[in-house]
Amino acid sequence: MIKAIRGMRDILPPETGRWQWVEQVAREVFDLYGYQELRLPLIERTELFARSIGPDTDIVAKEMYTFPDRRGDSLTLRPEATAQVVRAALENRLDRAPGMKKLYTIGPMFRYERPQKGRYRQFHQINCEALGADAPELDAEVILMLMEILGRVGLTQMRLSVNSLGCPECQQDFKARLKLFLQSKEGWCDDCRHRRETNPLRVLDCKSAHCQALLKDAPMLKDCQCEACAAHYGRVLELLNRFRVPFEENPRLVRGLDYYTRTAFEVAAAGLGAQDAVAGGGRYNGLSQELGGPEMPAIGFAIGQDRLMEILPPEAAPPGLAKTFLAVLGDAARDRALTLLQDLRAKGLAAEMDFEGRSLKAQMSLADRLGATYVIILGDREMETDQAVLRRMATGGQEQVALKELPVILANFITGKI
Ligand code: HAM
């Protein structure tokens, strides 16, 4: 039998109901903050990601699904959305309209990582980007919005870490100091020995405990920050405090993508094990120019939806739609029920029935399995009097109701009017 590719999985009902609900909550919060949806292709030119995420990042160096198309052009399944959103904004000239562009996109991303709990090769992000402003108020607002989404879906045990990565000038100074420090010590892992030459910031992100121990006295980004970057960061922290968002400063937070400038942040959540980052983001003021566009400061984040779903408390669930099941006895009743079924649906009521001639008992257990709130029992005897039996599954209580009034009576039950 053919199976799904390693690291990719099927998401099935009823789990899909929970996914839709989380997406709906995110969409509501995005609406509140003025974000609009973009729907983007899953494949882009490889160059887009290589240029924006950075050639020495893990993502570009070893995790991209890259392949030639039939003409020989190099294409890549998107490993993230930020570079794409900027590409789409520039290509569609969204940057020419006055004011900020607040955009979000929800969908699958692809990274060829070693699959493990919370880490997939196809995973899903709820991603937002605010393009066109450098104000620290926007940074705070974006973080507030992220925490609002996570809070609304019921996540409680989470830790927000923030840092400022400075502007390119601060980073240049810092990288030079860091490089000297890294060269002054021996014992780095193979990756870090390479990184200290090509991209020293990445060493700060190394997962090896040994490298982390060696980094103990490494210089801090904070110490290399210019006045403007320090003031920007100070204002972000002040606003997070004002809005009582619990956070901790992590001066070593660098993130796994090279485009970040100034504010960077991550949210770790309990219950995820080693892969505990449920969301991450930051400012990327230079990305538009990197891609050949005009100056366009921007900030955004992505929530890892697979990880979020894994740790959502069980009580965090979409409100279940009340369902009605039509149980029938006899051919005339079965035929009449087909009309009733469509009448109920036309009233906006979820309704189902059995088409396979099951016994009444089997229909009742099917109704139970489907989670029906109400069952309408329709037999030839009821048909003679234009009546049906309405049974509430939770209590087992039953009553006779007139067939023609059924849709209205049920609608009233379900909307709580009776
Ligand atoms: P990222 O930190 O690479 O950032 O990914 C964001 C989130 O996606 C992570 O915190 C994690 O929850 C989830 N994630 C990443 N890789 C995997 C995986 N293999 N399996 C499951 N979940 C995963 C970005 O992608 C940036 N584009 C975020 C951003 C938006 N920055 C600015 N705007």
Side-chain angles (χ1 to χ4, degrees), residues 81-125:
T82 309
Q84 275 206 297
V85 170
V86 174
R87 196 265 311 134
L90 297 177
E91 185 171 341
N92 296 290
R93 308 192 163 181
L94 303 186
D95 59 302
R96 307 242 174 126
M100 268 178 58
K101 264 57 61 184
K102 292 174 154 186
L103 305 165
Y104 76 89
T105 186
I106 300 178
M109 309 290 155
F110 305 84
R111 295 184 194 173
Y112 196 87
E113 293 190 82
R114 197 167 51 77
Q116 64 180 81
K117 180 172 150 66
R119 194 160 72 191
Y120 306 99
R121 289 182 174 172
Q122 175 173 332
F123 59 99
H124 304 78
Q125 286 187 345

mmCIF file of all heavy atoms in Angstrom, residues 81-125:
data_model
loop_
_atom_site.group_PDB
_atom_site.id
_atom_site.type_symbol
_atom_site.label_atom_id
_atom_site.label_comp_id
_atom_site.label_asym_id
_atom_site.label_seq_id
_atom_site.Cartn_x
_atom_site.Cartn_y
_atom_site.Cartn_z
ATOM 1 N N ALA A 81 7.005 31.933 5.050
ATOM 2 C CA ALA A 81 6.158 32.802 4.237
ATOM 3 C C ALA A 81 6.651 34.242 4.115
ATOM 4 O O ALA A 81 6.225 34.965 3.208
ATOM 5 C CB ALA A 81 4.744 32.803 4.807
ATOM 6 N N THR A 82 7.536 34.670 5.011
ATOM 7 C CA THR A 82 7.883 36.099 5.051
ATOM 8 C C THR A 82 8.459 36.597 3.710
ATOM 9 O O THR A 82 8.022 37.631 3.183
ATOM 10 C CB THR A 82 8.889 36.349 6.186
ATOM 11 O OG1 THR A 82 8.350 35.762 7.364
ATOM 12 C CG2 THR A 82 9.112 37.829 6.415
ATOM 13 N N ALA A 83 9.430 35.842 3.178
ATOM 14 C CA ALA A 83 10.065 36.266 1.931
ATOM 15 C C ALA A 83 9.022 36.349 0.810
ATOM 16 O O ALA A 83 9.047 37.259 -0.013
ATOM 17 C CB ALA A 83 11.161 35.275 1.551
ATOM 18 N N GLN A 84 8.099 35.405 0.817
ATOM 19 C CA GLN A 84 7.029 35.388 -0.191
ATOM 20 C C GLN A 84 6.106 36.577 -0.072
ATOM 21 O O GLN A 84 5.682 37.137 -1.066
ATOM 22 C CB GLN A 84 6.099 34.231 0.134
ATOM 23 C CG GLN A 84 6.354 32.928 -0.293
ATOM 24 C CD GLN A 84 5.081 32.132 -0.424
ATOM 25 O OE1 GLN A 84 4.417 31.930 0.573
ATOM 26 N NE2 GLN A 84 4.794 31.685 -1.614
ATOM 27 N N VAL A 85 5.756 36.894 1.178
ATOM 28 C CA VAL A 85 4.829 38.014 1.385
ATOM 29 C C VAL A 85 5.479 39.292 0.853
ATOM 30 O O VAL A 85 4.836 40.093 0.161
ATOM 31 C CB VAL A 85 4.446 38.167 2.878
ATOM 32 C CG1 VAL A 85 3.688 39.458 3.122
ATOM 33 C CG2 VAL A 85 3.633 36.968 3.332
ATOM 34 N N VAL A 86 6.770 39.455 1.130
ATOM 35 C CA VAL A 86 7.463 40.650 0.633
ATOM 36 C C VAL A 86 7.529 40.592 -0.899
ATOM 37 O O VAL A 86 7.251 41.581 -1.587
ATOM 38 C CB VAL A 86 8.865 40.772 1.265
ATOM 39 C CG1 VAL A 86 9.641 41.918 0.639
ATOM 40 C CG2 VAL A 86 8.740 40.968 2.772
ATOM 41 N N ARG A 87 7.847 39.436 -1.460
ATOM 42 C CA ARG A 87 7.864 39.285 -2.926
ATOM 43 C C ARG A 87 6.510 39.666 -3.518
ATOM 44 O O ARG A 87 6.426 40.429 -4.476
ATOM 45 C CB ARG A 87 8.220 37.828 -3.266
ATOM 46 C CG ARG A 87 8.654 37.520 -4.657
ATOM 47 C CD ARG A 87 7.563 37.020 -5.617
ATOM 48 N NE ARG A 87 6.719 35.953 -5.122
ATOM 49 C CZ ARG A 87 5.388 35.949 -5.249
ATOM 50 N NH1 ARG A 87 4.742 36.953 -5.841
ATOM 51 N NH2 ARG A 87 4.665 34.958 -4.787
ATOM 52 N N ALA A 88 5.450 39.138 -2.912
ATOM 53 C CA ALA A 88 4.101 39.398 -3.435
ATOM 54 C C ALA A 88 3.743 40.876 -3.293
ATOM 55 O O ALA A 88 3.129 41.459 -4.193
ATOM 56 C CB ALA A 88 3.080 38.532 -2.710
ATOM 57 N N ALA A 89 4.130 41.498 -2.186
ATOM 58 C CA ALA A 89 3.813 42.910 -1.970
ATOM 59 C C ALA A 89 4.524 43.764 -3.022
ATOM 60 O O ALA A 89 3.927 44.673 -3.606
ATOM 61 C CB ALA A 89 4.227 43.337 -0.559
ATOM 62 N N LEU A 90 5.782 43.434 -3.300
ATOM 63 C CA LEU A 90 6.538 44.227 -4.277
ATOM 64 C C LEU A 90 5.999 43.968 -5.686
ATOM 65 O O LEU A 90 5.766 44.903 -6.452
ATOM 66 C CB LEU A 90 8.027 43.870 -4.223
ATOM 67 C CG LEU A 90 8.739 44.185 -2.892
ATOM 68 C CD1 LEU A 90 10.187 43.708 -2.935
ATOM 69 C CD2 LEU A 90 8.683 45.678 -2.573
ATOM 70 N N GLU A 91 5.772 42.703 -6.001
ATOM 71 C CA GLU A 91 5.326 42.356 -7.353
ATOM 72 C C GLU A 91 3.963 42.968 -7.665
ATOM 73 O O GLU A 91 3.706 43.409 -8.769
ATOM 74 C CB GLU A 91 5.262 40.822 -7.485
ATOM 75 C CG GLU A 91 4.937 40.382 -8.891
ATOM 76 C CD GLU A 91 5.082 38.870 -9.066
ATOM 77 O OE1 GLU A 91 5.754 38.218 -8.243
ATOM 78 O OE2 GLU A 91 4.498 38.352 -10.034
ATOM 79 N N ASN A 92 3.087 42.990 -6.665
ATOM 80 C CA ASN A 92 1.735 43.516 -6.880
ATOM 81 C C ASN A 92 1.622 44.986 -6.492
ATOM 82 O O ASN A 92 0.527 45.519 -6.372
ATOM 83 C CB ASN A 92 0.719 42.674 -6.105
ATOM 84 C CG ASN A 92 0.676 41.247 -6.621
ATOM 85 O OD1 ASN A 92 0.202 41.008 -7.717
ATOM 86 N ND2 ASN A 92 1.224 40.312 -5.860
ATOM 87 N N ARG A 93 2.773 45.585 -6.262
ATOM 88 C CA ARG A 93 2.876 47.029 -5.962
ATOM 89 C C ARG A 93 2.065 47.471 -4.763
ATOM 90 O O ARG A 93 1.557 48.586 -4.711
ATOM 91 C CB ARG A 93 2.456 47.845 -7.184
ATOM 92 C CG ARG A 93 3.232 47.377 -8.386
ATOM 93 C CD ARG A 93 3.088 48.295 -9.524
ATOM 94 N NE ARG A 93 4.157 47.978 -10.456
ATOM 95 C CZ ARG A 93 4.366 48.595 -11.587
ATOM 96 N NH1 ARG A 93 3.603 49.587 -11.932
ATOM 97 N NH2 ARG A 93 5.354 48.246 -12.373
ATOM 98 N N LEU A 94 1.884 46.568 -3.833
ATOM 99 C CA LEU A 94 1.149 46.948 -2.625
ATOM 100 C C LEU A 94 1.920 48.044 -1.884
ATOM 101 O O LEU A 94 1.328 48.848 -1.179
ATOM 102 C CB LEU A 94 0.979 45.742 -1.686
ATOM 103 C CG LEU A 94 0.277 44.515 -2.255
ATOM 104 C CD1 LEU A 94 0.037 43.468 -1.186
ATOM 105 C CD2 LEU A 94 -1.056 44.906 -2.885
ATOM 106 N N ASP A 95 3.224 48.063 -2.057
ATOM 107 C CA ASP A 95 4.034 49.057 -1.352
ATOM 108 C C ASP A 95 3.769 50.471 -1.860
ATOM 109 O O ASP A 95 4.095 51.441 -1.200
ATOM 110 C CB ASP A 95 5.530 48.723 -1.506
ATOM 111 C CG ASP A 95 5.960 48.687 -2.966
ATOM 112 O OD1 ASP A 95 5.376 47.895 -3.722
ATOM 113 O OD2 ASP A 95 6.858 49.466 -3.343
ATOM 114 N N ARG A 96 3.164 50.597 -3.057
ATOM 115 C CA ARG A 96 2.935 51.949 -3.598
ATOM 116 C C ARG A 96 1.720 52.621 -2.978
ATOM 117 O O ARG A 96 1.579 53.834 -3.030
ATOM 118 C CB ARG A 96 2.715 51.888 -5.106
ATOM 119 C CG ARG A 96 3.807 51.152 -5.829
ATOM 120 C CD ARG A 96 4.525 52.055 -6.787
ATOM 121 N NE ARG A 96 5.654 51.325 -7.334
ATOM 122 C CZ ARG A 96 5.885 51.178 -8.629
ATOM 123 N NH1 ARG A 96 5.062 51.729 -9.491
ATOM 124 N NH2 ARG A 96 6.923 50.518 -9.053
ATOM 125 N N ALA A 97 0.785 51.825 -2.444
ATOM 126 C CA ALA A 97 -0.398 52.432 -1.814
ATOM 127 C C ALA A 97 0.055 53.080 -0.506
ATOM 128 O O ALA A 97 0.970 52.580 0.147
ATOM 129 C CB ALA A 97 -1.435 51.352 -1.538
ATOM 130 N N PRO A 98 -0.576 54.213 -0.149
ATOM 131 C CA PRO A 98 -0.127 54.898 1.064
ATOM 132 C C PRO A 98 -0.417 54.073 2.316
ATOM 133 O O PRO A 98 -1.334 53.254 2.332
ATOM 134 C CB PRO A 98 -0.945 56.201 1.066
ATOM 135 C CG PRO A 98 -2.089 55.951 0.148
ATOM 136 C CD PRO A 98 -1.688 54.893 -0.816
ATOM 137 N N GLY A 99 0.377 54.296 3.322
ATOM 138 C CA GLY A 99 0.121 53.661 4.628
ATOM 139 C C GLY A 99 0.709 52.270 4.719
ATOM 140 O O GLY A 99 1.364 51.770 3.813
ATOM 141 N N MET A 100 0.391 51.661 5.857
ATOM 142 C CA MET A 100 0.946 50.337 6.131
ATOM 143 C C MET A 100 0.130 49.232 5.478
ATOM 144 O O MET A 100 -1.055 49.380 5.284
ATOM 145 C CB MET A 100 0.879 50.101 7.633
ATOM 146 C CG MET A 100 2.112 50.515 8.345
ATOM 147 S SD MET A 100 1.799 50.220 10.052
ATOM 148 C CE MET A 100 1.447 48.498 10.002
ATOM 149 N N LYS A 101 0.784 48.132 5.231
ATOM 150 C CA LYS A 101 0.083 46.955 4.719
ATOM 151 C C LYS A 101 0.135 45.907 5.815
ATOM 152 O O LYS A 101 1.224 45.522 6.257
ATOM 153 C CB LYS A 101 0.798 46.408 3.480
ATOM 154 C CG LYS A 101 0.239 46.872 2.177
ATOM 155 C CD LYS A 101 0.166 48.355 1.948
ATOM 156 C CE LYS A 101 1.520 49.034 1.978
ATOM 157 N NZ LYS A 101 1.502 50.486 1.852
ATOM 158 N N LYS A 102 -1.040 45.473 6.266
ATOM 159 C CA LYS A 102 -1.079 44.446 7.322
ATOM 160 C C LYS A 102 -1.665 43.188 6.705
ATOM 161 O O LYS A 102 -2.849 43.168 6.331
ATOM 162 C CB LYS A 102 -1.943 44.927 8.483
ATOM 163 C CG LYS A 102 -1.327 46.099 9.247
ATOM 164 C CD LYS A 102 -2.330 46.597 10.268
ATOM 165 C CE LYS A 102 -1.669 47.277 11.448
ATOM 166 N NZ LYS A 102 -2.676 47.606 12.472
ATOM 167 N N LEU A 103 -0.855 42.154 6.598
ATOM 168 C CA LEU A 103 -1.247 40.985 5.819
ATOM 169 C C LEU A 103 -1.053 39.703 6.622
ATOM 170 O O LEU A 103 -0.130 39.608 7.428
ATOM 171 C CB LEU A 103 -0.364 40.912 4.569
ATOM 172 C CG LEU A 103 -0.380 42.193 3.720
ATOM 173 C CD1 LEU A 103 0.765 42.187 2.720
ATOM 174 C CD2 LEU A 103 -1.715 42.332 3.010
ATOM 175 N N TYR A 104 -1.931 38.739 6.379
ATOM 176 C CA TYR A 104 -1.702 37.438 7.001
ATOM 177 C C TYR A 104 -1.925 36.318 6.002
ATOM 178 O O TYR A 104 -2.597 36.496 4.980
ATOM 179 C CB TYR A 104 -2.562 37.246 8.255
ATOM 180 C CG TYR A 104 -4.022 36.949 8.025
ATOM 181 C CD1 TYR A 104 -4.476 35.639 7.877
ATOM 182 C CD2 TYR A 104 -4.962 37.971 7.989
ATOM 183 C CE1 TYR A 104 -5.819 35.372 7.684
ATOM 184 C CE2 TYR A 104 -6.302 37.711 7.794
ATOM 185 C CZ TYR A 104 -6.734 36.415 7.644
ATOM 186 O OH TYR A 104 -8.063 36.145 7.445
ATOM 187 N N THR A 105 -1.326 35.187 6.296
ATOM 188 C CA THR A 105 -1.505 34.035 5.429
ATOM 189 C C THR A 105 -1.410 32.770 6.273
ATOM 190 O O THR A 105 -0.656 32.737 7.250
ATOM 191 C CB THR A 105 -0.504 34.082 4.245
ATOM 192 O OG1 THR A 105 -0.795 33.027 3.363
ATOM 193 C CG2 THR A 105 0.930 33.950 4.685
ATOM 194 N N ILE A 106 -2.218 31.774 5.936
ATOM 195 C CA ILE A 106 -2.275 30.545 6.729
ATOM 196 C C ILE A 106 -2.060 29.374 5.768
ATOM 197 O O ILE A 106 -2.722 29.308 4.734
ATOM 198 C CB ILE A 106 -3.652 30.394 7.413
ATOM 199 C CG1 ILE A 106 -3.905 31.583 8.351
ATOM 200 C CG2 ILE A 106 -3.755 29.070 8.183
ATOM 201 C CD1 ILE A 106 -5.263 31.565 9.058
ATOM 202 N N GLY A 107 -1.151 28.470 6.098
ATOM 203 C CA GLY A 107 -0.988 27.339 5.189
ATOM 204 C C GLY A 107 0.273 26.546 5.456
ATOM 205 O O GLY A 107 1.013 26.821 6.396
ATOM 206 N N PRO A 108 0.506 25.527 4.597
ATOM 207 C CA PRO A 108 1.637 24.627 4.820
ATOM 208 C C PRO A 108 2.983 25.196 4.377
ATOM 209 O O PRO A 108 3.047 25.971 3.425
ATOM 210 C CB PRO A 108 1.277 23.409 3.952
ATOM 211 C CG PRO A 108 0.397 23.942 2.890
ATOM 212 C CD PRO A 108 -0.337 25.117 3.462
ATOM 213 N N MET A 109 4.021 24.803 5.092
ATOM 214 C CA MET A 109 5.414 25.141 4.773
ATOM 215 C C MET A 109 6.174 23.814 4.730
ATOM 216 O O MET A 109 5.715 22.814 5.304
ATOM 217 C CB MET A 109 6.040 26.022 5.869
ATOM 218 C CG MET A 109 5.229 27.231 6.257
ATOM 219 S SD MET A 109 5.196 28.468 4.952
ATOM 220 C CE MET A 109 3.664 29.304 5.345
ATOM 221 N N PHE A 110 7.359 23.821 4.123
ATOM 222 C CA PHE A 110 8.093 22.567 3.926
ATOM 223 C C PHE A 110 9.563 22.736 4.308
ATOM 224 O O PHE A 110 10.225 23.643 3.796
ATOM 225 C CB PHE A 110 8.002 22.148 2.457
ATOM 226 C CG PHE A 110 6.573 22.040 1.973
ATOM 227 C CD1 PHE A 110 5.881 23.172 1.536
ATOM 228 C CD2 PHE A 110 5.911 20.827 1.993
ATOM 229 C CE1 PHE A 110 4.563 23.085 1.110
ATOM 230 C CE2 PHE A 110 4.591 20.725 1.563
ATOM 231 C CZ PHE A 110 3.916 21.860 1.127
ATOM 232 N N ARG A 111 10.016 21.889 5.205
ATOM 233 C CA ARG A 111 11.450 21.893 5.544
ATOM 234 C C ARG A 111 11.900 20.447 5.719
ATOM 235 O O ARG A 111 11.250 19.684 6.446
ATOM 236 C CB ARG A 111 11.721 22.667 6.851
ATOM 237 C CG ARG A 111 11.402 24.147 6.741
ATOM 238 C CD ARG A 111 11.759 24.916 8.004
ATOM 239 N NE ARG A 111 11.142 26.237 7.970
ATOM 240 C CZ ARG A 111 11.134 27.110 8.963
ATOM 241 N NH1 ARG A 111 11.748 26.811 10.107
ATOM 242 N NH2 ARG A 111 10.543 28.281 8.829
ATOM 243 N N TYR A 112 13.017 20.136 5.086
ATOM 244 C CA TYR A 112 13.519 18.766 5.163
ATOM 245 C C TYR A 112 14.328 18.624 6.452
ATOM 246 O O TYR A 112 15.554 18.650 6.438
ATOM 247 C CB TYR A 112 14.382 18.468 3.925
ATOM 248 C CG TYR A 112 14.638 17.006 3.709
ATOM 249 C CD1 TYR A 112 13.743 16.237 2.989
ATOM 250 C CD2 TYR A 112 15.764 16.395 4.229
ATOM 251 C CE1 TYR A 112 13.974 14.889 2.786
ATOM 252 C CE2 TYR A 112 16.000 15.046 4.033
ATOM 253 C CZ TYR A 112 15.106 14.298 3.320
ATOM 254 O OH TYR A 112 15.323 12.965 3.123
ATOM 255 N N GLU A 113 13.611 18.527 7.572
ATOM 256 C CA GLU A 113 14.258 18.350 8.869
ATOM 257 C C GLU A 113 14.054 16.915 9.307
ATOM 258 O O GLU A 113 13.219 16.200 8.757
ATOM 259 C CB GLU A 113 13.609 19.268 9.902
ATOM 260 C CG GLU A 113 13.853 20.726 9.639
ATOM 261 C CD GLU A 113 13.396 21.586 10.814
ATOM 262 O OE1 GLU A 113 14.155 21.712 11.788
ATOM 263 O OE2 GLU A 113 12.268 22.107 10.760
ATOM 264 N N ARG A 114 14.788 16.508 10.354
ATOM 265 C CA ARG A 114 14.593 15.154 10.858
ATOM 266 C C ARG A 114 13.274 15.123 11.620
ATOM 267 O O ARG A 114 13.113 15.843 12.607
ATOM 268 C CB ARG A 114 15.759 14.774 11.785
ATOM 269 C CG ARG A 114 15.876 13.271 12.037
ATOM 270 C CD ARG A 114 17.204 12.942 12.689
ATOM 271 N NE ARG A 114 17.469 13.778 13.862
ATOM 272 C CZ ARG A 114 16.909 13.604 15.055
ATOM 273 N NH1 ARG A 114 16.081 12.614 15.250
ATOM 274 N NH2 ARG A 114 17.177 14.421 16.055
ATOM 275 N N PRO A 115 12.310 14.318 11.169
ATOM 276 C CA PRO A 115 11.000 14.349 11.825
ATOM 277 C C PRO A 115 11.084 13.864 13.267
ATOM 278 O O PRO A 115 11.827 12.926 13.570
ATOM 279 C CB PRO A 115 10.151 13.386 10.996
ATOM 280 C CG PRO A 115 10.872 13.220 9.711
ATOM 281 C CD PRO A 115 12.319 13.401 10.019
ATOM 282 N N GLN A 116 10.394 14.507 14.137
ATOM 283 C CA GLN A 116 10.251 14.068 15.535
ATOM 284 C C GLN A 116 9.016 14.764 16.087
ATOM 285 O O GLN A 116 8.340 15.485 15.352
ATOM 286 C CB GLN A 116 11.498 14.403 16.353
ATOM 287 C CG GLN A 116 11.768 15.891 16.480
ATOM 288 C CD GLN A 116 13.019 16.179 17.301
ATOM 289 O OE1 GLN A 116 14.107 16.103 16.776
ATOM 290 N NE2 GLN A 116 12.852 16.516 18.561
ATOM 291 N N LYS A 117 8.724 14.517 17.365
ATOM 292 C CA LYS A 117 7.529 15.140 17.953
ATOM 293 C C LYS A 117 7.583 16.659 17.725
ATOM 294 O O LYS A 117 8.582 17.307 18.048
ATOM 295 C CB LYS A 117 7.515 14.832 19.452
ATOM 296 C CG LYS A 117 6.319 15.424 20.200
ATOM 297 C CD LYS A 117 6.320 14.887 21.619
ATOM 298 C CE LYS A 117 5.745 15.796 22.668
ATOM 299 N NZ LYS A 117 4.365 16.087 22.615
ATOM 300 N N GLY A 118 6.532 17.200 17.141
ATOM 301 C CA GLY A 118 6.469 18.650 16.921
ATOM 302 C C GLY A 118 7.320 19.137 15.763
ATOM 303 O O GLY A 118 7.435 20.337 15.548
ATOM 304 N N ARG A 119 7.943 18.208 15.035
ATOM 305 C CA ARG A 119 8.734 18.649 13.882
ATOM 306 C C ARG A 119 8.373 17.797 12.673
ATOM 307 O O ARG A 119 8.554 16.583 12.685
ATOM 308 C CB ARG A 119 10.218 18.544 14.194
ATOM 309 C CG ARG A 119 11.057 19.294 13.173
ATOM 310 C CD ARG A 119 12.414 19.619 13.673
ATOM 311 N NE ARG A 119 13.228 18.423 13.747
ATOM 312 C CZ ARG A 119 14.416 18.364 14.356
ATOM 313 N NH1 ARG A 119 14.897 19.419 14.973
ATOM 314 N NH2 ARG A 119 15.105 17.253 14.370
ATOM 315 N N TYR A 120 7.856 18.445 11.658
ATOM 316 C CA TYR A 120 7.385 17.750 10.463
ATOM 317 C C TYR A 120 8.054 18.341 9.231
ATOM 318 O O TYR A 120 8.607 19.439 9.295
ATOM 319 C CB TYR A 120 5.853 17.895 10.351
ATOM 320 C CG TYR A 120 5.161 17.436 11.595
ATOM 321 C CD1 TYR A 120 4.740 18.350 12.556
ATOM 322 C CD2 TYR A 120 4.989 16.078 11.842
ATOM 323 C CE1 TYR A 120 4.152 17.925 13.732
ATOM 324 C CE2 TYR A 120 4.393 15.645 13.005
ATOM 325 C CZ TYR A 120 3.983 16.574 13.955
ATOM 326 O OH TYR A 120 3.408 16.146 15.108
ATOM 327 N N ARG A 121 7.975 17.603 8.142
ATOM 328 C CA ARG A 121 8.551 18.133 6.898
ATOM 329 C C ARG A 121 7.529 18.982 6.162
ATOM 330 O O ARG A 121 7.882 19.883 5.440
ATOM 331 C CB ARG A 121 9.078 16.977 6.050
ATOM 332 C CG ARG A 121 10.319 16.395 6.709
ATOM 333 C CD ARG A 121 10.940 15.270 5.920
ATOM 334 N NE ARG A 121 12.192 14.876 6.545
ATOM 335 C CZ ARG A 121 12.903 13.824 6.185
ATOM 336 N NH1 ARG A 121 12.483 13.049 5.197
ATOM 337 N NH2 ARG A 121 14.021 13.538 6.794
ATOM 338 N N GLN A 122 6.262 18.662 6.340
ATOM 339 C CA GLN A 122 5.216 19.624 5.965
ATOM 340 C C GLN A 122 4.551 20.040 7.256
ATOM 341 O O GLN A 122 4.022 19.197 7.987
ATOM 342 C CB GLN A 122 4.171 19.006 5.031
ATOM 343 C CG GLN A 122 3.030 19.993 4.771
ATOM 344 C CD GLN A 122 2.029 19.559 3.729
ATOM 345 O OE1 GLN A 122 2.342 18.812 2.819
ATOM 346 N NE2 GLN A 122 0.811 20.056 3.856
ATOM 347 N N PHE A 123 4.644 21.329 7.553
ATOM 348 C CA PHE A 123 4.003 21.821 8.772
ATOM 349 C C PHE A 123 3.194 23.059 8.384
ATOM 350 O O PHE A 123 3.189 23.463 7.224
ATOM 351 C CB PHE A 123 5.042 22.117 9.856
ATOM 352 C CG PHE A 123 6.066 23.146 9.458
ATOM 353 C CD1 PHE A 123 5.951 24.460 9.868
ATOM 354 C CD2 PHE A 123 7.140 22.805 8.652
ATOM 355 C CE1 PHE A 123 6.887 25.422 9.491
ATOM 356 C CE2 PHE A 123 8.083 23.753 8.252
ATOM 357 C CZ PHE A 123 7.958 25.065 8.679
ATOM 358 N N HIS A 124 2.508 23.635 9.358
ATOM 359 C CA HIS A 124 1.557 24.689 8.999
ATOM 360 C C HIS A 124 1.784 25.928 9.844
ATOM 361 O O HIS A 124 2.000 25.824 11.054
ATOM 362 C CB HIS A 124 0.130 24.168 9.176
ATOM 363 C CG HIS A 124 -0.105 22.923 8.376
ATOM 364 N ND1 HIS A 124 0.348 21.692 8.791
ATOM 365 C CD2 HIS A 124 -0.684 22.741 7.167
ATOM 366 C CE1 HIS A 124 0.046 20.789 7.860
ATOM 367 N NE2 HIS A 124 -0.576 21.399 6.880
ATOM 368 N N GLN A 125 1.750 27.064 9.196
ATOM 369 C CA GLN A 125 1.957 28.315 9.941
ATOM 370 C C GLN A 125 0.765 29.253 9.795
ATOM 371 O O GLN A 125 0.131 29.321 8.737
ATOM 372 C CB GLN A 125 3.202 29.039 9.422
ATOM 373 C CG GLN A 125 4.509 28.409 9.832
ATOM 374 C CD GLN A 125 5.706 29.263 9.432
ATOM 375 O OE1 GLN A 125 5.603 30.190 8.616
ATOM 376 N NE2 GLN A 125 6.856 28.960 10.009
#
